[in-house]
């Protein structure tokens, strides 16, 4: 995931400037950026469903390797698009030579076509890679380690962000050992990032081994496109209630995240213009924004390492698998006696619930975006952006941990039905008794369909749809806000040049980004309210139940 995140920072940080440098207009550039949500809508659920339908022990790693190959080819094609375009123009006799304006024009148009095509392939490959890696994490991680696994997933993403944004400050174009690559900073960054990606993917595929899944009765139809699309539609229409609620929260959460991810560096430039009273140098404003995002990534890594400690599963509160209710009570009673002999008088504390951490992070995000009403200096903007890293660490960890725990619970229920109980594996339930933990109203009916096992990769793909869809909404809302705010406001701070036209500036006299960020904060508040409807995971219910039993036993024994 760290390598994939570095590839993402290449696109996010350098994509727009590179496309504009080729001569593409801003309007066309916005259409090119639609590759992200379009590929997310198609690639992730489709790849998840196809790999779910396979029984091979390479079903996830096959798509990891294939996506990596496509990502490397498309990124290198993007980096060398001008050279490739010039080669093909010369092959097909376009113009008389380098000095011919007609040849230059044809080469420029061909470079634009290659870049746009490579951009779309890159987005599809990157979405497929991220989906396959998350599916692999779901398959190989035991249920009681999913929280820790997703926490490491978040840490690796933030580490990739640090490396990616850090490259923005390293003059790669001036490093002598990279001079043989030719080109500018963007080309060298592409090559370096793809090298890192190949190394990380090789380590992942070499160090992990999947298990072959059991054959299904309708295996003769498996793998057909019609069945795959039918499975995706069926999964969407029959999505379990808890997962449906997580997806609802994600829609509002990412209506807040997309404005921040797309416009945070621009916001720093606008604050710089407000503070100085003049249009700042574009490179300086961009580098200042990238520095703020680098600090944001560092804070996210630190938060990703600290926050999971407070949500760590306490095995002392968990029952032992296979015990009935009476055996579990006796086991808890024995633990109390043992603790008393060791001089321990306080009971363990209940770890933080994942949904509580998620709710708090969205509220903090909303407060930070609303703070734009009072931010007036670059330092203040940098601090606010850095603190958002806490919220991003939670966004990359908690929802995926909840989804994967719910999926493991669904798998465990089905694996204990007579038709499917072929073996005991890591997908067996953690609690072997029937109690209030098993009869949570929010989770009833999740496995009512006993003939098919829930498709984890497909559901993760559907979850990604809830993340991608807000990007279309934000594109429309932000354009309306920019038109209303930036086209109707004048420069608040007087310009040193009386002939300067505010509308011709990139930063001076602009305040639309701040309002887009505030709109995102409002959406995050709605997401925080919806998050309260997400039920605790099975492990959390077990710990809460175990702590209640310990309190009752302790009260009975005290005089």
């Amino acid at each position: 995931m760290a390598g994939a995140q570095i590839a993402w920072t290449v696109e996010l940080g350098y994509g727009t400037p590179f496309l504009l440098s080729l001569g593409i207009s801003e309007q066309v550039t916005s259409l090119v950026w639609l590759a992200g949500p379009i590929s997310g809508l198609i690639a992730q659920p489709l790849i998840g469903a196809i790999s779910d339908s396979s029984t091979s022990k390479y079903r996830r790693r096959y798509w990891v390797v294939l996506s990596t190959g496509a990502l490397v080819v498309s990124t290198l094609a993007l980096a060398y698009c001008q050279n490739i375009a010039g080669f093909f123009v010369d092959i097909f006799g376009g113009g008389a030579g380098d000095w011919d304006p007609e040849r230059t024009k044809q080469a420029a148009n061909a470079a634009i076509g290659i870049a746009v095509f490579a951009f779309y392939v890159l987005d599809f490959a990157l979405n497929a890679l991220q989906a396959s890696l998350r599916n692999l994490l779901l398959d190989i991680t035991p249920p009681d380690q999913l929280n820790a696994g997703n926490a490491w997933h978040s840490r690796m993403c933030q580490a990739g962000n640090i490396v990616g944004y850090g490259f923005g400050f390293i003059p790669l174009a001036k490093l002598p050992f990279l001079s043989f690559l030719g080109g500018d900073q963007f080309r060298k960054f592409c090559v370096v990032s793809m090298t890192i990606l190949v190394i990380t993917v090789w380590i992942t595929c070499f160090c992990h081994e999947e298990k072959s899944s059991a054959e299904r009765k309708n295996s003769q139809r498996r793998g057909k496109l019609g069945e795959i699309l039918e499975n995706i539609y069926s999964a969407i229409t029959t999505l379990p209630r808890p997962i449906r609620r997580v997806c609802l929260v994600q829609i509002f959460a990412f209506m807040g995240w997309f404005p921040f991810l797309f416009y945070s560096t621009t916001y720093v430039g606008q604050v710089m213009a407000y503070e100085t009273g003049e249009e700042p140098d574009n490179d300086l404003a961009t580098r200042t924004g990238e520095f703020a995002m680098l600090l944001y990534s560092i804070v996210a890594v630190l938060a990703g390492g600290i926050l999971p400690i407070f949500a760590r599963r306490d095995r002392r509160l968990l029952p032992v698998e296979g015990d009935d209710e009476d055996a579990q009570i006796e086991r808890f009673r024995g633990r109390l006696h043992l603790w008393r002999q060791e001089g321990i008088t306080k009971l363990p504390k209940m770890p933080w619930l994942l949904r509580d951490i998620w709710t708090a992070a969205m509220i903090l995000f909303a407060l930070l975006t609303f703070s734009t009403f009072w931010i007036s200096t670059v330092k203040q903007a940098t601090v606010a952006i850095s603190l958002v890293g806490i919220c991003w660490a939670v966004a990359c960890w908690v929802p995926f941990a909840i989804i994967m725990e719910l999926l493991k619970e669904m798998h465990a229920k089905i694996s204990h039905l007579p038709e499917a109980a072929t073996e005991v594996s890591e997908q067996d339930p953690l609690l072997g008794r029937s109690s209030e933990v098993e009869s949570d109203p929010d989770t009833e009916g999740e496995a009512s369909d006993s003939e098919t096992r829930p498709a984890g990769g497909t559901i993760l793909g559907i979850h990604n749809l809830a993340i991608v869809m807000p990007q279309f909404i934000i594109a429309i809302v932000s354009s309306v806000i920019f038109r209303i705010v930036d086209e109707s406001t004048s420069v608040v701070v007087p310009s040193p040049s009386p002939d300067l036209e505010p509308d011709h500036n990139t930063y001076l006299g602009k305040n639309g980004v701040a309002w887009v960020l505030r709109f995102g904060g409002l959406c995050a508040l709605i997401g925080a309210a919806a998050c309260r409807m997400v039920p605790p995971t099975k492990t959390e219910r077990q710990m809460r139940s175990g702590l209640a039993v310990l309190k009752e036993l302790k009260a009975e024994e005290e005089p």
Side-chain angles (χ1 to χ4, degrees):
M1 288 305 298
Q5 196 67 23
I6 293 174
W8 170 245
T9 59
V10 173
E11 180 185 26
L12 193 62
Y14 292 89
T16 299
F18 178 74
L19 292 175
L20 292 175
S21 69
L22 295 178
I24 302 178
S25 65
E26 293 182 353
Q27 292 79 6
V28 176
T29 301
S30 64
L31 296 179
V32 175
W33 274 108
L34 288 178
I38 292 175
S39 60
L41 286 172
I42 299 174
Q44 296 219 17
L46 190 61
I47 295 301
I50 293 175
S51 58
D52 281 336
S53 67
S54 173
T55 59
S56 169
K57 66 178 181 178
Y58 302 105
R59 61 186 178 278
R60 309 298 191 190
R61 286 176 291 173
Y62 169 81
W63 289 102
V64 169
V65 173
L66 190 64
S67 302
T68 301
L71 187 57
V72 170
V73 172
S74 59
T75 303
L76 295 180
L78 191 64
Y80 288 90
C81 66
Q82 292 169 307
N83 300 75
I84 297 173
F87 173 78
F88 280 108
V89 168
D90 291 337
I91 287 294
F92 292 101
D98 293 343
W99 50 268
D100 189 352
E102 181 64 24
R103 188 265 182 192
T104 303
K105 180 179 179 180
Q106 292 182 12
N109 292 334
I112 291 175
I114 293 173
V116 172
F117 178 76
F119 210 93
Y120 271 80
V121 175
L122 186 153
D123 264 311
F124 273 87
L126 187 56
N127 273 279
L129 176 60
Q130 291 176 331
S132 302
L133 290 172
R134 292 193 184 104
N135 295 338
L136 180 62
L137 176 65
L138 173 63
D139 283 355
I140 65 177
T141 308
D144 58 342
Q145 295 182 15
L146 277 173
N147 184 46
N150 279 280
W152 274 104
H153 165 271
S154 175
R155 293 177 191 130
M156 290 298 101
C157 287
Q158 310 316 326
N161 278 335
I162 291 178
V163 175
Y165 289 119
F167 274 124
F169 294 94
I170 300 176
L172 298 177
K174 298 181 180 179
L175 297 180
F177 60 88
L178 294 178
S179 59
F180 71 96
L181 297 175
D184 54 5
Q185 174 91 357
F186 174 70
R187 177 180 297 180
K188 292 178 172 60
F189 188 16
C190 287
V191 175
V192 172
S193 64
M194 290 302 101
T195 303
I196 297 175
L197 175 64
V198 170
I199 294 174
T200 55
V201 166
W202 179 84
I203 294 174
T204 299
C205 294
F206 181 78
C207 296
H208 296 94
E209 184 175 353
E210 307 164 68
K211 294 181 180 179
S212 300
S213 61
E215 292 287 334
R216 300 176 186 176
K217 295 180 181 179
N218 60 342
S219 59
Q220 66 274 9
R221 297 178 57 230
R222 187 187 300 113
K224 292 184 178 180
L225 180 60
E227 183 191 1
I228 291 171
L229 296 177
E230 181 182 351
N231 290 340
I232 295 176
Y233 175 78
S234 175
I236 293 176
T237 55
T238 60
L239 204 63
R241 186 187 307 167
I243 296 179
R244 192 162 59 241
R245 291 177 177 176
V246 173
C247 292
L248 176 64
V249 177
Q250 287 287 65
I251 290 176
F252 288 102
F254 273 85
M255 286 179 68
W257 276 115
F258 280 125
F260 174 82
L261 295 174
F262 291 157
Y263 301 116
S264 54
T265 54
T266 305
Y267 172 69
V268 174
Q270 292 184 356
V271 173
M272 182 181 294
Y274 178 84
E275 183 180 6
T276 60
E278 60 183 10
E279 178 74 7
D281 176 73
N282 187 64
D283 289 339
L284 176 61
T286 302
R287 289 177 61 85
T288 305
E290 288 182 352
F291 176 72
M293 293 300 291
L294 176 61
L295 295 180
Y296 143 89
S297 301
I298 294 174
V299 171
V301 170
L302 296 176
I306 296 174
L307 290 178
I309 297 176
F310 297 98
R312 183 176 297 166
R313 291 355 189 179
D314 194 336
R315 294 183 179 274
R316 297 174 297 176
L317 300 177
L318 291 173
V320 176
E321 183 178 354
D323 284 354
D324 57 18
E325 188 170 359
D326 293 335
Q328 290 178 13
I329 293 176
E330 289 303 318
R331 192 179 299 276
F332 282 131
R333 195 188 306 275
R335 290 176 184 174
L336 278 177
H337 288 304
L338 179 62
W339 293 341
R340 188 176 294 108
Q341 293 174 0
E342 296 176 350
I344 301 176
T345 58
K346 293 184 178 180
L347 294 177
K349 293 184 178 180
M350 179 67 189
W352 293 357
L353 297 181
L354 292 176
R355 70 174 182 183
D356 293 343
I357 298 176
W358 198 9
T359 302
M362 284 186 283
I363 293 176
L364 175 61
F365 179 84
L367 293 176
L368 290 172
T369 55
F370 293 155
S371 70
T372 56
F373 281 110
W374 301 280
I375 290 176
S376 58
T377 66
V378 173
K379 289 184 178 179
Q380 293 173 349
T382 301
V383 171
I385 290 175
S386 301
L387 292 177
V388 174
I390 300 174
C391 311
W392 183 244
V394 174
C396 291
W397 157 47
V398 170
F400 294 98
I402 294 176
I403 286 283
M404 291 186 184
E405 285 202 38
L406 292 173
L407 286 174
K408 287 290 187 180
E409 181 179 349
M410 293 162 53
H411 291 187
K413 287 182 179 181
I414 290 183
S415 67
H416 274 65
L417 294 173
E419 297 86 352
T422 58
E423 61 178 359
V424 178
S425 68
E426 65 185 19
Q427 295 171 344
D428 292 338
L430 299 174
L431 186 58
R433 66 188 178 94
S434 176
S435 67
E436 62 170 348
V437 176
E438 294 290 342
S439 59
D440 190 280
D442 289 313
T443 58
E444 287 181 355
E446 290 177 9
S448 58
D449 185 2
S450 61
E451 296 181 0
T452 59
R453 170 178 171 171
T458 305
I459 291 182
L460 285 177
I462 295 172
H463 170 247
N464 186 70
L465 296 182
I467 296 175
V468 171
M469 286 174 57
Q471 190 168 343
F472 292 100
I473 302 174
I474 289 300
I476 298 174
V477 172
S478 61
S479 63
V480 173
I481 292 177
F482 289 145
R483 179 176 294 274
I484 294 175
V485 177
D486 285 342
E487 293 189 4
S488 61
T489 57
S490 58
V491 182
V492 178
V493 180
S495 173
S497 173
D499 298 327
L500 185 63
E501 292 291 336
D503 289 340
H504 294 168
N505 296 327
T506 303
Y507 302 109
L508 185 62
K510 308 292 185 180
N511 196 36
V513 170
W515 281 103
V516 172
L517 293 176
R518 294 161 193 162
F519 172 79
L522 179 62
C523 294
L525 281 181
I526 300 175
C531 189
R532 306 313 302 161
M533 299 187 297
V534 176
T537 65
K538 182 177 180 179
T539 307
E540 291 172 337
R541 298 196 305 271
Q542 289 173 342
M543 290 190 296
R544 190 164 56 186
S545 176
L547 183 59
V549 172
L550 285 173
K551 289 181 178 179
E552 292 179 2
L553 293 175
K554 184 179 181 181
E556 291 176 358
E557 296 180 0
E558 290 179 349

